Amino acid sequence: MGLVTLDLPAPGQMRGRWAAFAAICAARGWGDMCRADGPVWHFDDGGGNWADLHHLGAARAVLTGYDHEYSETYYGPAAEEFGEEQTDLLAGAPDWWHPVARRSLDEKRYVGFVYGFEADPVTGGRWQRAAYHTEDGFHSVGLPAVTLESTRESILEFTREAPGLGGALPRPDAVDALIAADGEVTAAQVTAVIGEGGAWDAEAGAAAARRFRMH
């Protein structure tokens, strides 16, 4: 059975969104929640649901993750542990997907989905996964970078308690500018979103965003 093509943005399209949300998280002091560690972009919701995007050079990437409530794809040791039938998340996948999936298992994490991306000079590239009909938890993980709107909503939600805003919401144009910076974020752009004053750290936010340009 062949691989299934997914309607997801390319890694380059997600970078500005992922970096902008990381900036807000880091400014708030929650930098571990959303960050770039070299070629790996990480997101988690603080409750056990996570997604990691691994860049494999300029043309390939693998996205892995898990939702502890909604991932019903029991892969690797999880199938035996929970007494469930295993979903082969690598069925028909090219060899370069495998080390990333293995890395997550080696870190003692459950894996609910494994998606692979390969760039193409004509089409721009595509995301694919193994063929299965089981809920893998990707959509419920809540990765903000999947759409521009969800990134905006997540930033608004996470800035509601920013001391510098005094209970107001950030200006929409400031949020859009933070996203459009595509990781080349300045402290001034973070300040425009979170406001001035208070304990939040715009410099830390800008530094976190810029790490998305360093792989």
Side-chain angles (χ1 to χ4, degrees):
M1 189 176 296
L3 296 172
V4 175
T5 298
L6 304 168
D7 183 17
L8 293 175
Q13 293 175 285
M14 288 194 275
R15 179 173 56 196
R17 305 168 191 171
W18 210 317
F21 186 59
I24 299 305
C25 291
R28 187 168 181 168
W30 295 356
D32 285 345
M33 181 177 181
C34 185
R35 63 185 188 273
D37 293 324
V40 182
W41 297 352
H42 172 77
F43 165 79
D44 70 67
D45 66 358
N49 307 322
W50 62 275
D52 282 350
L53 195 157
H54 298 250
H55 292 85
L56 308 177
R60 291 174 174 175
V62 175
L63 181 68
T64 60
Y66 179 76
D67 185 297
H68 72 94
E69 292 182 293
Y70 296 106
S71 290
E72 298 176 359
T73 43
Y74 295 90
Y75 176 67
E80 182 176 354
E81 181 176 339
F82 291 101
E84 298 285 350
E85 182 178 354
Q86 174 168 257
T87 301
D88 187 355
L89 301 180
L90 297 177
D95 291 343
W96 51 271
W97 293 23
H98 292 237
V100 177
R102 172 51 56 188
R103 173 176 171 176
S104 296
L105 295 180
D106 288 345
E107 293 171 350
K108 307 301 181 185
R109 295 196 288 178
Y110 298 128
V111 177
F113 53 86
V114 181
Y115 300 166
F117 175 85
E118 188 157 24
D120 182 277
V122 177
T123 66
R126 61 181 177 176
W127 285 100
Q128 293 182 296
R129 65 160 173 81
Y132 49 80
H133 300 288
T134 307
E135 175 57 55
D136 64 14
F138 170 74
H139 293 290
S140 52
V141 161
L143 176 61
V146 172
T147 68
L148 181 59
E149 187 56 38
S150 63
T151 304
R152 289 171 174 152
E153 290 175 357
S154 294
I155 290 174
L156 291 176
E157 178 183 352
F158 272 62
T159 52
R160 289 184 187 277
E161 299 176 7
L165 294 177
L169 290 175
R171 301 192 325 268
D173 64 311
V175 174
D176 287 346
L178 187 68
I179 296 169
D182 196 22
E184 295 287 359
V185 170
T186 66
Q189 288 172 317
V190 179
T191 299
V193 175
I194 66 174
E196 296 184 2
W200 289 30
D201 189 341
E203 291 286 356
R210 291 195 295 268
R211 293 190 188 99
F212 284 78
R213 306 286 306 196
M214 295 180 179
H215 68 84

